[in-house]
Each structure stands twice: as C-alpha cells, then as structure tokens.
Coordinates of all heavy atoms in Angstrom, one line a residue:
M96 N 92.9 74.7 67.8 CA 91.9 75.7 67.6 C 90.5 75.1 67.6 O 89.5 75.7 67.8 CB 92.1 76.4 66.2 CG 93.3 77.3 66.2 SD 93.3 78.6 67.3 CE 92.6 79.8 66.3
H97 N 90.4 73.8 67.3 CA 89.1 73.1 67.3 C 88.5 72.9 68.7 O 87.3 72.6 68.9 CB 89.2 71.8 66.6 CG 90.1 70.8 67.2 ND1 91.4 70.8 67.1 CD2 89.8 69.8 68.1 CE1 92.0 69.9 67.8 NE2 91.0 69.2 68.4
D98 N 89.4 73.0 69.7 CA 88.9 72.8 71.1 C 88.3 74.2 71.6 O 89.1 75.2 71.7 CB 90.1 72.4 72.0 CG 89.8 72.2 73.4 OD1 88.6 72.3 73.8 OD2 90.7 71.9 74.2
P99 N 87.1 74.2 72.0 CA 86.4 75.4 72.5 C 87.1 76.0 73.7 O 87.1 77.2 74.0 CB 85.0 75.0 72.9 CG 84.8 73.7 72.1 CD 86.1 73.1 71.9
A100 N 87.8 75.1 74.5 CA 88.5 75.6 75.7 C 89.9 76.2 75.4 O 90.5 76.7 76.3 CB 88.7 74.4 76.7
F101 N 90.3 76.1 74.2 CA 91.6 76.7 73.8 C 91.6 78.2 74.1 O 90.7 78.9 73.6 CB 91.9 76.4 72.3 CG 93.3 76.9 71.9 CD1 94.4 76.1 72.1 CD2 93.4 78.1 71.3 CE1 95.6 76.5 71.7 CE2 94.7 78.6 70.9 CZ 95.8 77.8 71.1
G102 N 92.6 78.7 74.7 CA 92.7 80.1 75.0 C 94.2 80.5 75.4 O 95.1 79.8 75.0
S103 N 94.3 81.6 76.0 CA 95.6 82.2 76.3 C 96.5 81.2 77.2 O 97.7 81.1 76.9 CB 95.5 83.5 77.0 OG 94.8 83.4 78.2
A104 N 95.9 80.5 78.1 CA 96.6 79.6 78.9 C 97.3 78.5 78.0 O 98.4 78.1 78.3 CB 95.8 78.9 80.0
N105 N 96.5 78.0 77.0 CA 97.1 77.0 76.1 C 98.2 77.6 75.3 O 99.2 76.9 75.1 CB 96.0 76.5 75.2 CG 94.9 75.9 75.9 OD1 93.9 76.6 76.2 ND2 95.0 74.6 76.2
L106 N 98.1 78.8 74.9 CA 99.2 79.5 74.1 C 100.4 79.6 75.0 O 101.5 79.4 74.5 CB 98.7 80.8 73.6 CG 97.9 80.8 72.3 CD1 97.4 82.2 72.0 CD2 98.6 80.2 71.2
V107 N 100.2 80.0 76.2 CA 101.4 80.2 77.1 C 102.1 78.9 77.2 O 103.3 78.8 77.1 CB 100.9 80.7 78.5 CG1 102.0 80.5 79.5 CG2 100.5 82.1 78.4
A108 N 101.4 77.8 77.4 CA 102.0 76.5 77.6 C 102.6 76.0 76.2 O 103.8 75.5 76.2 CB 101.0 75.5 78.0
D109 N 101.9 76.2 75.1 CA 102.4 75.7 73.8 C 103.6 76.4 73.4 O 104.5 75.9 72.8 CB 101.3 75.8 72.8 CG 100.1 74.8 73.0 OD1 100.3 73.9 73.9 OD2 99.1 74.9 72.4
L110 N 103.6 77.7 73.6 CA 104.7 78.6 73.1 C 105.8 78.7 74.1 O 106.9 79.2 73.8 CB 104.2 80.0 72.8 CG 103.1 80.0 71.6 CD1 102.6 81.5 71.5 CD2 103.7 79.5 70.3
R111 N 105.5 78.2 75.3 CA 106.5 78.3 76.4 C 107.0 79.7 76.7 O 108.3 80.0 76.7 CB 107.7 77.3 76.2 CG 107.2 75.9 76.1 CD 108.3 74.9 75.9 NE 107.7 73.6 75.8 CZ 108.3 72.5 75.4 NH1 109.6 72.6 75.1 NH2 107.7 71.4 75.4
V112 N 106.1 80.6 76.8 CA 106.4 82.0 77.1 C 105.6 82.4 78.4 O 104.6 81.7 78.7 CB 106.0 83.0 76.0 CG1 106.9 82.7 74.7 CG2 104.6 82.9 75.6
S113 N 106.0 83.4 79.0 CA 105.2 83.9 80.2 C 103.9 84.5 79.7 O 103.8 85.0 78.6 CB 106.0 84.9 81.0 OG 106.2 86.1 80.2
R114 N 103.0 84.6 80.6 CA 101.7 85.2 80.3 C 101.8 86.6 80.0 O 101.2 87.1 79.0 CB 100.8 85.0 81.6 CG 99.3 85.4 81.3 CD 98.5 85.0 82.5 NE 97.1 85.3 82.3 CZ 96.5 86.4 82.6 NH1 97.2 87.4 83.2 NH2 95.2 86.6 82.3
S115 N 102.7 87.3 80.7 CA 102.9 88.8 80.5 C 103.5 89.0 79.1 O 103.1 89.9 78.4 CB 103.7 89.4 81.6 OG 105.0 88.8 81.7
R116 N 104.4 88.1 78.7 CA 105.1 88.3 77.4 C 104.0 88.0 76.3 O 104.0 88.7 75.2 CB 106.2 87.3 77.2 CG 107.0 87.5 75.9 CD 108.2 86.7 75.8 NE 109.2 87.1 76.7 CZ 110.2 88.0 76.5 NH1 110.2 88.6 75.3 NH2 111.1 88.3 77.4
L117 N 103.2 87.0 76.5 CA 102.1 86.7 75.5 C 101.2 87.9 75.3 O 100.9 88.4 74.2 CB 101.4 85.5 75.9 CG 100.2 85.1 74.9 CD1 100.8 84.6 73.6 CD2 99.4 84.0 75.5
Y118 N 100.7 88.5 76.4 CA 99.8 89.6 76.4 C 100.5 90.8 75.8 O 99.9 91.6 75.0 CB 99.2 89.9 77.7 CG 98.0 89.0 78.0 CD1 98.2 87.8 78.6 CD2 96.7 89.4 77.7 CE1 97.1 87.0 78.9 CE2 95.6 88.6 77.9 CZ 95.8 87.4 78.5 OH 94.7 86.6 78.8
A119 N 101.8 91.0 76.0 CA 102.5 92.1 75.5 C 102.6 92.0 73.9 O 102.5 93.0 73.2 CB 103.9 92.2 76.1
A120 N 102.7 90.8 73.5 CA 102.9 90.5 72.0 C 101.6 90.9 71.3 O 101.6 91.2 70.1 CB 103.2 89.0 71.8
F121 N 100.4 90.7 72.0 CA 99.1 91.0 71.4 C 98.6 92.4 71.8 O 97.5 92.8 71.4 CB 98.1 90.0 71.8 CG 98.3 88.7 71.1 CD1 99.2 87.7 71.6 CD2 97.6 88.4 69.9 CE1 99.4 86.5 70.9 CE2 97.8 87.2 69.3 CZ 98.7 86.2 69.8
A122 N 99.4 93.2 72.5 CA 98.9 94.5 73.0 C 98.6 95.5 71.9 O 97.7 96.3 72.0 CB 100.0 95.1 73.9
G123 N 99.3 95.4 70.8 CA 99.0 96.4 69.7 C 97.8 96.0 68.8 O 97.4 96.9 68.0
G124 N 97.3 94.9 69.0 CA 96.1 94.5 68.1 C 94.8 94.4 68.9 O 94.6 95.2 69.9
E125 N 94.0 93.5 68.5 CA 92.7 93.3 69.2 C 92.8 92.5 70.4 O 91.8 92.4 71.1 CB 91.7 92.6 68.2 CG 91.4 93.5 67.0 CD 90.5 92.8 66.0 OE1 90.3 91.5 66.2 OE2 90.0 93.4 65.1
G126 N 93.9 91.8 70.7 CA 94.0 91.0 71.9 C 94.0 89.5 71.5 O 93.7 89.1 70.4
I127 N 94.3 88.7 72.5 CA 94.4 87.3 72.3 C 93.0 86.6 72.0 O 92.9 85.9 71.0 CB 95.0 86.6 73.5 CG1 96.4 87.1 73.7 CG2 95.0 85.1 73.4 CD1 97.1 86.7 75.0
A128 N 92.0 86.9 72.8 CA 90.7 86.3 72.6 C 90.2 86.7 71.2 O 89.6 85.8 70.5 CB 89.8 86.7 73.7
A129 N 90.3 87.9 70.8 CA 89.8 88.3 69.5 C 90.5 87.7 68.4 O 90.0 87.3 67.3 CB 89.8 89.9 69.4
T130 N 91.8 87.5 68.5 CA 92.7 86.9 67.5 C 92.3 85.4 67.3 O 92.2 84.9 66.2 CB 94.1 87.0 67.8 OG1 94.5 88.4 67.9 CG2 95.0 86.4 66.8
I131 N 92.1 84.7 68.5 CA 91.6 83.3 68.4 C 90.3 83.2 67.7 O 90.0 82.4 66.9 CB 91.6 82.7 69.8 CG1 93.1 82.6 70.3 CG2 90.9 81.3 69.8 CD1 93.2 82.2 71.8
R132 N 89.3 84.1 68.2 CA 88.0 84.1 67.6 C 88.0 84.4 66.1 O 87.4 83.6 65.3 CB 87.1 85.2 68.3 CG 85.7 85.2 67.7 CD 84.9 86.4 68.1 NE 85.5 87.6 67.4 CZ 86.0 88.6 68.1 NH1 85.9 88.7 69.4 NH2 86.5 89.6 67.4
N133 N 88.8 85.3 65.7 CA 88.9 85.7 64.3 C 89.5 84.5 63.4 O 89.1 84.3 62.3 CB 89.7 87.0 64.0 CG 88.9 88.2 64.5 OD1 87.7 88.1 64.6 ND2 89.6 89.3 64.7
A134 N 90.5 83.9 64.0 CA 91.1 82.7 63.3 C 90.1 81.6 63.2 O 90.0 80.9 62.1 CB 92.3 82.2 64.1
R135 N 89.3 81.4 64.2 CA 88.2 80.4 64.1 C 87.2 80.8 63.1 O 86.7 79.9 62.3 CB 87.6 80.2 65.5 CG 88.4 79.5 66.5 CD 87.8 79.4 67.8 NE 88.6 78.5 68.7 CZ 88.5 78.5 70.0 NH1 87.7 79.3 70.6 NH2 89.3 77.7 70.7
L136 N 86.8 82.0 63.0 CA 85.8 82.5 62.1 C 86.4 82.4 60.6 O 85.7 82.0 59.7 CB 85.4 84.0 62.4 CG 84.6 84.2 63.6 CD1 84.4 85.6 63.9 CD2 83.2 83.5 63.5
D137 N 87.6 82.7 60.5 CA 88.3 82.6 59.2 C 88.2 81.1 58.7 O 87.9 80.8 57.5 CB 89.7 83.1 59.2 CG 89.8 84.6 59.3 OD1 88.8 85.3 59.2 OD2 91.0 85.1 59.6
R138 N 88.5 80.2 59.6 CA 88.5 78.8 59.3 C 87.1 78.4 58.9 O 86.9 77.6 57.9 CB 89.0 78.0 60.4 CG 89.1 76.5 60.1 CD 89.7 75.7 61.2 NE 91.1 75.9 61.2 CZ 91.9 75.5 62.1 NH1 91.5 74.8 63.1 NH2 93.2 75.7 62.0
A139 N 86.1 78.8 59.7 CA 84.7 78.5 59.4 C 84.3 79.1 58.0 O 83.6 78.4 57.3 CB 83.8 79.0 60.5
H140 N 84.7 80.3 57.7 CA 84.4 80.9 56.4 C 84.9 80.0 55.3 O 84.2 79.7 54.3 CB 85.0 82.3 56.4 CG 84.7 83.0 55.2 ND1 85.5 83.0 54.0 CD2 83.7 83.9 54.9 CE1 85.0 83.7 53.1 NE2 83.9 84.3 53.6
E141 N 86.2 79.6 55.4 CA 86.8 78.8 54.3 C 86.0 77.4 54.2 O 85.8 77.0 53.1 CB 88.2 78.5 54.6 CG 89.1 79.8 54.5 CD 90.5 79.6 55.0 OE1 90.9 78.5 55.5 OE2 91.2 80.7 55.0
R142 N 85.7 76.8 55.3 CA 85.0 75.6 55.3 C 83.5 75.7 54.7 O 83.1 74.8 54.0 CB 84.9 74.9 56.7 CG 86.3 74.4 57.1 CD 86.3 73.8 58.4 NE 87.7 73.3 58.7 CZ 88.1 72.7 59.8 NH1 87.2 72.4 60.7 NH2 89.3 72.3 60.0
I143 N 82.9 76.8 55.0 CA 81.5 77.0 54.5 C 81.6 77.2 53.0 O 80.7 76.7 52.3 CB 80.9 78.2 55.2 CG1 80.5 77.8 56.6 CG2 79.6 78.6 54.4 CD1 80.1 79.0 57.5
L144 N 82.7 77.9 52.5 CA 82.8 78.0 51.0 C 83.0 76.6 50.4 O 82.5 76.4 49.3 CB 84.0 78.9 50.7 CG 83.8 80.4 51.0 CD1 85.1 81.1 50.7 CD2 82.7 81.0 50.1
R145 N 83.6 75.7 51.1 CA 83.8 74.4 50.5 C 82.6 73.4 50.8 O 82.5 72.3 50.3 CB 85.0 73.7 51.2 CG 86.3 74.4 50.8 CD 87.5 73.6 51.4 NE 88.7 74.4 51.4 CZ 89.6 74.4 52.3 NH1 89.5 73.6 53.4 NH2 90.7 75.1 52.2
A146 N 81.7 73.8 51.7 CA 80.6 73.0 52.1 C 79.8 72.4 51.0 O 79.4 71.2 51.1 CB 79.7 73.7 53.1
P147 N 79.4 73.1 50.0 CA 78.6 72.5 48.9 C 79.3 71.3 48.3 O 78.6 70.3 48.0 CB 78.4 73.7 47.9 CG 78.5 74.9 48.7 CD 79.6 74.6 49.8
K148 N 80.6 71.4 48.1 CA 81.3 70.3 47.5 C 81.5 69.1 48.5 O 81.5 68.0 48.1 CB 82.7 70.7 47.0 CG 82.7 71.7 45.9 CD 84.1 72.1 45.5 CE 84.1 73.2 44.5 NZ 85.5 73.6 44.3
M149 N 81.7 69.5 49.7 CA 82.1 68.5 50.7 C 80.8 67.9 51.5 O 81.0 66.9 52.2 CB 83.1 69.0 51.7 CG 84.3 69.6 51.1 SD 85.3 68.5 50.1 CE 86.0 67.6 51.5
G150 N 79.7 68.6 51.4 CA 78.5 68.1 52.1 C 78.5 68.4 53.6 O 77.8 67.8 54.4
F151 N 79.2 69.4 54.0 CA 79.3 69.8 55.5 C 78.0 70.7 55.8 O 77.5 71.4 55.0 CB 80.5 70.6 55.8 CG 81.8 69.8 55.6 CD1 82.9 70.4 55.0 CD2 81.9 68.5 56.1 CE1 84.1 69.7 54.8 CE2 83.1 67.8 56.0 CZ 84.2 68.4 55.3
R152 N 77.6 70.6 57.1 CA 76.6 71.4 57.6 C 77.2 72.5 58.4 O 78.3 72.3 59.0 CB 75.6 70.6 58.4 CG 74.8 69.6 57.6 CD 73.8 68.9 58.5 NE 73.0 68.1 57.7 CZ 71.8 68.5 57.2 NH1 71.4 69.7 57.5 NH2 71.0 67.7 56.5
I153 N 76.5 73.6 58.5 CA 77.0 74.8 59.3 C 77.3 74.4 60.8 O 78.3 74.8 61.3 CB 76.1 76.0 59.2 CG1 76.1 76.5 57.8 CG2 76.5 77.1 60.2 CD1 75.1 77.6 57.5
G154 N 76.4 73.7 61.4 CA 76.6 73.3 62.8 C 77.9 72.5 63.0 O 78.6 72.7 64.0
S155 N 78.1 71.5 62.1 CA 79.3 70.7 62.2 C 80.6 71.6 61.9 O 81.6 71.4 62.6 CB 79.3 69.5 61.3 OG 79.2 69.8 60.0
I156 N 80.5 72.5 61.0 CA 81.6 73.4 60.7 C 81.9 74.2 61.9 O 83.1 74.4 62.3 CB 81.3 74.3 59.5 CG1 81.3 73.4 58.2 CG2 82.4 75.4 59.4 CD1 80.8 74.1 57.0
M157 N 80.9 74.8 62.5 CA 81.0 75.6 63.7 C 81.7 74.9 64.8 O 82.7 75.3 65.4 CB 79.6 76.1 64.2 CG 79.6 77.0 65.4 SD 78.0 77.2 66.1 CE 77.8 75.7 66.9
A158 N 81.2 73.7 65.1 CA 81.8 72.9 66.2 C 83.3 72.5 65.8 O 84.1 72.5 66.7 CB 81.0 71.6 66.4
S159 N 83.6 72.2 64.6 CA 84.9 71.8 64.2 C 85.9 72.9 64.3 O 87.1 72.7 64.3 CB 84.9 71.1 62.8 OG 84.8 72.1 61.8
C160 N 85.4 74.1 64.4 CA 86.3 75.3 64.5 C 86.4 75.8 65.9 O 86.9 76.9 66.2 CB 85.7 76.4 63.6 SG 85.9 76.0 61.8
G161 N 85.8 75.0 66.9 CA 85.9 75.4 68.3 C 84.9 76.4 68.7 O 85.1 77.0 69.8
L162 N 83.8 76.6 68.0 CA 82.8 77.5 68.3 C 81.6 76.8 68.8 O 81.2 75.8 68.2 CB 82.4 78.4 67.1 CG 83.6 79.2 66.6 CD1 83.4 79.6 65.1 CD2 83.8 80.4 67.4
T163 N 81.0 77.2 69.9 CA 79.9 76.4 70.6 C 78.5 77.0 70.6 O 77.6 76.3 70.8 CB 80.3 76.0 72.0 OG1 80.5 77.2 72.7 CG2 81.6 75.2 72.0
D164 N 78.4 78.3 70.5 CA 77.2 79.0 70.6 C 76.7 79.4 69.2 O 77.3 80.4 68.7 CB 77.3 80.2 71.5 CG 76.0 81.0 71.8 OD1 75.1 80.8 71.0 OD2 76.0 81.7 72.8
P165 N 75.6 78.8 68.7 CA 75.2 79.2 67.3 C 74.8 80.6 67.1 O 75.2 81.2 66.1 CB 74.0 78.3 67.1 CG 74.2 77.1 68.0 CD 74.9 77.7 69.2
A166 N 74.1 81.2 68.1 CA 73.7 82.6 68.0 C 75.0 83.5 68.0 O 75.1 84.5 67.2 CB 72.8 83.0 69.1
A167 N 75.9 83.3 68.9 CA 77.1 84.1 69.0 C 78.0 83.9 67.7 O 78.5 84.9 67.2 CB 77.9 83.8 70.2
F168 N 78.0 82.7 67.2 CA 78.8 82.4 66.0 C 78.2 83.2 64.8 O 78.9 83.9 64.1 CB 78.7 80.9 65.7 CG 79.2 80.5 64.3 CD1 80.5 80.8 63.9 CD2 78.3 79.9 63.4 CE1 80.9 80.4 62.6 CE2 78.8 79.5 62.2 CZ 80.1 79.8 61.8
S169 N 76.9 83.1 64.7 CA 76.2 83.8 63.6 C 76.4 85.3 63.7 O 76.7 86.0 62.6 CB 74.7 83.5 63.6 OG 74.1 84.1 62.4
R170 N 76.3 85.9 64.8 CA 76.5 87.4 65.0 C 78.0 87.7 64.7 O 78.2 88.7 64.0 CB 76.2 87.8 66.5 CG 74.8 88.1 66.7 CD 74.6 88.7 68.1 NE 75.2 88.0 69.2 CZ 74.7 87.1 69.9 NH1 73.4 86.7 69.6 NH2 75.3 86.5 70.9
A171 N 78.9 87.0 65.2 CA 80.3 87.3 65.0 C 80.7 87.1 63.5 O 81.4 87.9 62.9 CB 81.2 86.4 65.9
F172 N 80.1 86.1 62.9 CA 80.4 85.8 61.5 C 79.9 87.0 60.6 O 80.5 87.5 59.7 CB 79.7 84.5 61.1 CG 80.2 84.0 59.8 CD1 81.2 83.0 59.7 CD2 79.6 84.4 58.6 CE1 81.7 82.5 58.5 CE2 80.1 83.9 57.4 CZ 81.1 82.9 57.3
R173 N 78.6 87.4 60.9 CA 78.0 88.5 60.2 C 78.8 89.8 60.3 O 79.0 90.5 59.4 CB 76.6 88.7 60.6 CG 75.9 89.8 59.8 CD 74.5 90.0 60.3 NE 73.6 88.9 60.1 CZ 72.9 88.5 59.1 NH1 73.1 89.3 58.0 NH2 72.2 87.5 59.0
Q174 N 79.3 90.0 61.6 CA 80.1 91.2 61.8 C 81.4 91.2 61.0 O 81.8 92.2 60.5 CB 80.3 91.4 63.3 CG 81.1 92.6 63.7 CD 81.3 92.8 65.2 OE1 80.9 91.9 65.9 NE2 81.8 93.9 65.6
R175 N 82.0 90.0 61.0 CA 83.3 89.9 60.4 C 83.2 89.9 58.8 O 84.1 90.5 58.2 CB 84.0 88.7 60.9 CG 85.4 88.5 60.3 CD 86.3 87.7 61.3 NE 87.6 87.5 60.8 CZ 88.6 88.4 60.8 NH1 88.5 89.6 61.3 NH2 89.8 88.0 60.3
F176 N 82.2 89.2 58.3 CA 82.2 89.0 56.8 C 81.0 89.7 56.1 O 81.0 89.7 54.9 CB 82.1 87.5 56.5 CG 83.3 86.8 57.1 CD1 83.2 85.9 58.1 CD2 84.6 86.9 56.5 CE1 84.3 85.2 58.7 CE2 85.7 86.3 57.0 CZ 85.5 85.4 58.1
G177 N 80.1 90.3 56.9 CA 79.0 91.1 56.3 C 77.8 90.2 55.8 O 76.9 90.8 55.2
L178 N 77.8 89.0 56.1 CA 76.7 88.1 55.8 C 76.7 86.9 56.8 O 77.7 86.6 57.4 CB 76.7 87.6 54.4 CG 77.7 86.6 53.9 CD1 77.2 86.1 52.5 CD2 79.0 87.2 53.7
S179 N 75.6 86.3 56.9 CA 75.5 85.2 57.9 C 76.1 83.9 57.3 O 76.2 83.8 56.0 CB 74.0 84.9 58.2 OG 73.4 84.3 57.1
P180 N 76.4 83.0 58.1 CA 77.0 81.7 57.6 C 76.0 81.0 56.6 O 76.3 80.5 55.6 CB 77.1 80.8 58.8 CG 77.3 81.8 59.9 CD 76.5 83.0 59.6
R181 N 74.7 81.1 56.9 CA 73.6 80.5 56.1 C 73.6 81.2 54.7 O 73.4 80.6 53.7 CB 72.3 80.6 56.8 CG 71.2 80.0 56.0 CD 69.9 80.0 56.8 NE 70.1 79.1 57.9 CZ 69.2 78.8 58.8 NH1 68.1 79.4 58.8 NH2 69.5 78.0 59.8
D182 N 73.7 82.6 54.7 CA 73.7 83.3 53.5 C 74.9 82.9 52.6 O 74.8 82.8 51.4 CB 73.7 84.8 53.7 CG 72.4 85.3 54.3 OD1 71.4 84.6 54.2 OD2 72.4 86.4 54.9
L183 N 76.1 82.8 53.2 CA 77.3 82.4 52.5 C 77.1 81.0 51.9 O 77.4 80.8 50.7 CB 78.5 82.4 53.4 CG 79.8 82.0 52.7 CD1 80.2 83.0 51.6 CD2 81.0 82.0 53.8
L184 N 76.5 80.1 52.7 CA 76.3 78.7 52.2 C 75.3 78.8 51.0 O 75.5 78.0 50.1 CB 75.8 77.9 53.3 CG 75.5 76.4 53.0 CD1 76.8 75.7 52.5 CD2 75.0 75.7 54.2
A185 N 74.3 79.6 51.1 CA 73.3 79.7 50.1 C 73.8 80.2 48.8 O 73.4 79.8 47.7 CB 72.1 80.6 50.5
Q186 N 74.9 81.0 48.9 CA 75.5 81.5 47.6 C 76.1 80.3 46.9 O 76.2 80.3 45.7 CB 76.6 82.5 47.9 CG 76.1 83.8 48.4 CD 77.2 84.8 48.7 OE1 78.4 84.4 48.6 NE2 76.8 86.0 49.0
G187 N 76.5 79.3 47.7 CA 76.9 78.0 47.1 C 78.1 78.0 46.1 O 78.9 77.1 46.2
V188 N 78.0 78.8 45.2 CA 79.1 78.8 44.2 C 80.1 79.8 44.5 O 81.0 80.2 43.6 CB 78.4 79.1 42.8 CG1 77.6 78.0 42.4 CG2 77.7 80.4 42.8
G189 N 80.2 80.3 45.7 CA 81.2 81.3 46.1 C 82.6 80.8 45.9 O 82.9 79.6 46.1
R190 N 83.4 81.6 45.4 CA 84.8 81.2 45.1 C 85.6 81.1 46.4 O 85.5 82.0 47.3 CB 85.5 82.2 44.2 CG 84.9 82.2 42.8 CD 85.6 83.1 41.9 NE 86.0 84.3 42.6 CZ 85.8 85.5 42.1 NH1 85.3 85.7 40.9 NH2 86.1 86.6 42.8
F191 N 86.4 80.1 46.5 CA 87.3 79.9 47.8 C 88.2 81.1 48.0 O 88.5 81.5 49.1 CB 88.1 78.6 47.6 CG 88.9 78.4 48.8 CD1 88.4 78.1 50.1 CD2 90.3 78.6 48.8 CE1 89.2 77.9 51.2 CE2 91.1 78.4 49.9 CZ 90.5 78.0 51.1
D192 N 88.6 81.7 46.9 CA 89.6 82.9 47.0 C 88.9 84.2 47.2 O 89.5 85.2 47.0 CB 90.5 82.9 45.8 CG 89.8 83.1 44.5 OD1 88.5 83.1 44.5 OD2 90.4 83.3 43.5
Q193 N 87.6 84.1 47.5 CA 86.8 85.3 47.8 C 87.5 86.2 48.8 O 88.1 85.8 49.7 CB 85.4 84.9 48.3 CG 84.5 86.0 48.6 CD 83.1 85.4 49.1 OE1 82.8 84.3 48.8 NE2 82.4 86.2 49.7
E194 N 87.4 87.5 48.6 CA 88.1 88.5 49.4 C 87.5 88.4 50.9 O 86.3 88.3 51.0 CB 87.8 89.9 48.9 CG 88.7 91.0 49.6 CD 90.1 90.8 49.2 OE1 90.5 90.3 48.2 OE2 90.9 91.2 50.1
R195 N 88.3 88.4 51.8 CA 87.9 88.3 53.2 C 88.9 89.0 54.1 O 90.1 89.2 53.7 CB 87.7 86.9 53.7 CG 89.0 86.1 53.8 CD 88.6 84.7 54.4 NE 89.7 83.8 54.3 CZ 90.7 83.8 55.2 NH1 90.7 84.6 56.3 NH2 91.7 82.9 55.2
P196 N 88.5 89.5 55.3 CA 89.5 90.2 56.1 C 90.7 89.3 56.5 O 90.5 88.1 56.7 CB 88.7 90.5 57.4 CG 87.3 90.4 57.0 CD 87.2 89.4 55.8
R197 N 91.8 89.9 56.6 CA 93.0 89.2 57.0 C 93.3 89.5 58.4 O 93.2 90.6 58.8 CB 94.2 89.6 56.1 CG 94.1 89.2 54.7 CD 94.2 87.7 54.5 NE 94.0 87.3 53.2 CZ 93.8 86.1 52.8 NH1 93.8 85.1 53.7 NH2 93.6 85.7 51.6
S198 N 93.7 88.5 59.2 CA 94.1 88.7 60.6 C 95.4 88.1 60.8 O 95.9 87.3 60.0 CB 93.0 88.1 61.5 OG 93.0 86.7 61.3
A199 N 96.0 88.5 61.8 CA 97.4 87.9 62.2 C 97.2 86.5 62.4 O 96.3 86.1 63.2 CB 97.9 88.6 63.4
S200 N 98.0 85.7 61.8 CA 97.9 84.2 62.0 C 98.7 83.8 63.2 O 99.8 84.2 63.4 CB 98.5 83.5 60.7 OG 98.4 82.2 60.9
I201 N 98.0 83.0 64.1 CA 98.7 82.6 65.3 C 99.0 81.1 65.2 O 99.7 80.6 66.0 CB 97.9 82.9 66.5 CG1 96.6 82.2 66.5 CG2 97.8 84.4 66.7 CD1 95.8 82.2 67.8
M202 N 98.5 80.4 64.2 CA 98.7 79.0 64.1 C 99.1 78.7 62.7 O 98.7 79.1 61.8 CB 97.5 78.2 64.5 CG 97.1 78.3 65.9 SD 98.2 77.4 66.9 CE 98.0 78.2 68.4

C-alpha cells in the first residue's frame, strides 16, 4: 500500500485471481480504486494521530501511505474524516481509538 503505483493489477497478481473476478468482488462497494484510497487514508489518519508522539510530519506520513499529491490528499482526507490532516494534527491529543469510518479491509 505504500507504493503509489499499487493498484488493481498488483492485486490481480498478488491474489492470483483474474481481473474480472477481482472487479466482480468489488462490484457491490465503491470499487477497487476507492477501497485502496480509503485504506491509505485510514492508515494516514492513524499515523497522524500518533504523529505528536512519534514526531512525524504530514508530508512524510502521506508519502509513506502511498499518496503523492498533497492537495488531493487533503481534499480526500477532509471528505472522509471531516477535517484536514493539519487540523487533526493540531488537535494533538486526539485519541487513537477516535471514531472513524470503517472500510472493507483488503490488506
């Protein structure tokens, strides 16, 4: 997931299933790309909550989660969690078990 190029072709190879079977498995939800994006955003959210203790910066967290465009990351993060990554970091004392959307786990 940390590789920005990770996508459906990687899942097909890693899971050793056909492309059509993979897409059929995700047909009832948001789709493969959205599921991967949401998993990356969830990981970034968890790391940002830990950032004050660990000394991480938002840019390094974003990159370590396979996200490459800061503006797109901020927009998607705000849409998913209701606040920007910077606002979450500013809260600083946010609890790790803070309520957040749950998505289907693929990894």
